[in-house]
Amino acid sequence: MPTKTSRRAAVAASTPDTAPAAPAARRDRTHYLYIAVIVAVALGIAVGLAAPDFAVELKPIGTGFVNLIKMMISPIIFCTIVLGIGSVRKAAKVGAVGGIALAYFLVMSLVALAIGLVVGNILEPGTGLAVTDAVKETGQAQVSPEAKDTTEFLLGIIPTTIVSAFTEGEVLQTLLVALLCGFALQAMGSAGRPVLRGVEHIQRLVFRVLAMIMWAAPIGAFGAMAAVVGSAGVDALKSLAVLMLGFYLTCFLFVFVVLGALLRVVAGLNVLTFFKYLGREFLLILSTSSSESALPRLIAKMEHLGVSKPVVGITVPTGYSFNLDGTMIYMTMASLFIADAMGTPMSVGEQIPLLLFLLVASKGAAGVTGAGLATLAGGLQSHKPALVDGIGLIVGIDRFMSEARALTNFAGNAIATVLVGTWTKEIDKERVGRVLAGDLPFDEKTLLDEHAGAPATDAAPGQHEDGEKELARA
């Protein structure tokens, strides 16, 4: 009998550990979704090569999916920042996070420009190309009337009304309104708790809608990739392969050498492990050529990783306008490429002022559709008009280069969030280790930690004094 008793005890002891199987099943469903995205991308490439004219007509499918994602960005940013700041009892903490983030963004933008400058001068990819009249006309057409100078950009941060920030889809306007509301609720103290509770419920609703939209990702990926391949064509890729490969190589070195070393030294994390955690977001960006398509998921995943809500809410949206590392590299190499192709190569003394000007111009045109090419055209038109004609040379491959831009921008902002969280001591390193090890899987169904329960406002006074989010119970 002791043998049977011991067996029963063993079975009873093992039951609680083996019972919960729901999370695994939920993760498997989304796993199939992203397999479908990979298949859709392959089909899009095949259709683009086989029937380019038909493939170009599929562009609205990809555009529609990206617009669905963009529709969710403003409410997600608003809810995240309001909840984050509302749980911080020291307003100075928020200011410190913003100051550190902006200083880091400026330094890394300059580093990205310098790396692009070095590689562009070594490769000289534009030498030997001819600029025809048709190319000149195409280049002039890229000068966007929507591009803003620095003054217009700064004034544009202020929305017409407190509601128009959401209807116009301007990230920085939403950021401003959310900061004001967050500080106001913070000053209200306990009287603001019901409002914060309502904002948290809205956040859960918005993330659930986003999770539903993600099931359309394969269709959007197919349309976007087919249109890109169909419009560019093989000939354009062959003639400009040196520029494309050089740009991709530069972005790769910047992300894995420069940013990877920073992540290891400051936060003690391996960049490959960190990117594995963000693998689905990288796939989404690759298939849509837009880093904005992954912005809402980046916010959710950084909070799940263990970075506090104030750091995530301030660093991620601000970084999407001020920390465009991939765009910096692109503008550097494209400017040198165009100058060489036009037969007027620039000296280092001419290159540096132009690139510093583009660094500022990129902030003013951050919200323009096709920001990389539009910013480059507007910057050259203002600073060196003779080079605008050469922009037509890279129009054909701009969408392919935009994928590397988007991937690099996303990687830079993800790493920046962890670094700022580490510098401000607003990150739970123990939780980071558990999440990256797979012990605390991300909930793909809700994009939120449902076990977190009530919002931070239910905590006792002072419990969230440093703005730390509640951690998942082991």
Side-chain angles (χ1 to χ4, degrees):
M1 295 303 296
T3 305
K4 291 183 179 179
T5 303
S6 61
R7 287 177 182 173
R8 289 174 184 167
V11 171
S14 63
T15 301
D17 294 332
T18 58
R26 203 159 50 221
R27 184 172 54 182
D28 287 342
R29 287 184 59 198
T30 59
H31 178 66
Y32 294 134
L33 167 63
Y34 285 90
I35 290 178
V37 171
I38 296 175
V39 173
V41 169
L43 289 175
I45 294 174
V47 171
L49 294 175
D53 293 336
F54 170 72
V56 172
E57 299 298 323
L58 298 176
K59 183 178 180 180
I61 298 177
T63 303
F65 173 72
V66 174
N67 288 343
L68 281 173
I69 300 292
K70 289 182 177 180
M71 175 182 73
M72 310 304 298
I73 290 177
S74 289
I76 287 175
I77 290 175
F78 177 81
C79 293
T80 301
I81 295 177
V82 169
L83 289 174
I85 295 178
S87 66
V88 181
R89 299 188 66 86
K90 291 182 179 178
K93 174 66 72 174
V94 178
V97 170
I100 292 173
L102 287 174
Y104 170 79
F105 295 159
L106 176 61
V107 171
M108 293 315 297
S109 293
L110 292 173
V111 171
L113 283 175
I115 292 176
L117 192 67
V118 172
V119 175
N121 279 293
I122 293 175
L123 291 181
E124 297 183 346
T127 304
L129 288 180
V131 181
T132 64
D133 291 338
V135 168
K136 292 180 179 180
E137 292 177 5
T138 304
Q140 291 290 345
Q142 301 307 311
V143 180
S144 174
E146 299 178 36
K148 308 171 186 176
D149 59 28
T150 304
T151 303
E152 291 174 334
F153 168 68
L154 293 175
L155 291 176
I157 296 176
I158 305 173
T160 305
T161 68
I162 196 171
V163 180
S164 63
F166 302 96
T167 58
E168 295 177 5
E170 294 287 346
V171 172
L172 290 182
Q173 289 185 0
T174 305
L175 179 64
L176 175 63
V177 172
L179 286 171
L180 293 175
C181 291
F183 283 123
L185 288 170
Q186 181 188 75
M188 291 171 65
S190 60
R193 290 184 182 178
V195 179
L196 283 175
R197 193 189 309 277
V199 172
E200 189 197 28
H201 291 315
I202 294 174
Q203 183 191 48
R204 292 183 182 278
L205 171 64
V206 170
F207 272 118
R208 182 60 65 94
V209 173
L210 178 64
M212 294 166 59
I213 291 174
M214 291 308 302
W215 286 98
I219 300 174
F222 170 74
M225 189 56 64
V228 170
V229 176
S231 61
V234 179
D235 294 337
L237 304 184
K238 288 180 180 178
S239 62
L240 298 170
V242 175
L243 175 62
M244 282 182 58
L245 293 177
F247 178 59
Y248 270 75
L249 177 62
T250 306
C251 290
F252 180 87
L253 293 175
F254 177 79
V255 170
F256 287 94
V257 177
V258 179
L259 296 182
L262 269 176
L263 188 65
R264 167 64 74 178
V265 172
V266 176
L269 299 180
N270 182 285
V271 69
L272 295 178
T273 305
F274 181 63
F275 285 166
K276 181 182 178 182
Y277 172 65
L278 298 172
R280 294 185 176 187
E281 287 67 43
F282 281 115
L283 176 59
L284 181 62
I285 294 170
L286 184 64
S287 60
T288 61
S289 297
S290 170
S291 59
E292 285 189 342
S293 63
L295 189 155
R297 289 180 59 90
L298 178 61
I299 290 176
K301 279 205 162 182
M302 289 297 97
E303 288 186 11
H304 174 75
L305 184 66
V307 184
S308 71
K309 280 190 176 184
V311 171
V312 174
I314 293 173
T315 306
V316 174
T318 308
Y320 263 70
S321 290
F322 290 93
N323 189 37
L324 306 176
D325 299 327
T327 304
M328 295 296 102
I329 297 174
Y330 166 81
M331 291 195 298
T332 305
M333 297 189 67
S335 299
L336 297 180
F337 170 83
I338 291 170
D340 290 342
M342 297 287 291
T344 56
M346 295 184 289
S347 64
V348 176
E350 293 176 305
Q351 293 172 14
I352 293 177
L354 171 62
L355 297 177
L356 291 177
F357 177 82
L358 289 174
L359 173 64
V360 177
S362 67
K363 315 308 179 192
V368 178
T369 302
L373 194 61
T375 301
L376 178 64
L380 292 179
Q381 176 68 26
S382 301
H383 196 79
K384 207 170 180 63
L387 297 180
V388 175
D389 292 343
I391 292 178
L393 289 168
I394 61 175
V395 170
I397 62 166
D398 179 70
R399 281 302 300 271
F400 282 95
M401 296 177 73
S402 74
E403 292 178 349
R405 284 201 306 265
L407 290 169
T408 305
N409 290 341
F410 178 82
N413 284 311
I415 291 176
T417 306
V418 175
L419 296 180
V420 174
T422 302
W423 285 324
T424 57
K425 296 181 173 59
E426 289 287 323
I427 186 172
D428 188 324
K429 294 185 178 180
E430 180 182 353
R431 180 181 174 88
V432 171
R434 295 181 65 196
V435 170
L436 296 184
D439 297 336
L440 295 174
F442 181 70
D443 190 344
E444 292 286 349
K445 184 176 181 180
T446 64
L447 307 185
L448 286 170
D449 294 328
E450 292 291 349
H451 58 265
T457 50
D458 289 328
Q463 181 175 341
H464 296 280
E465 183 160 325
D466 290 328
E468 296 178 356
K469 62 176 294 194
E470 289 189 29
L471 303 180
R473 295 188 180 92

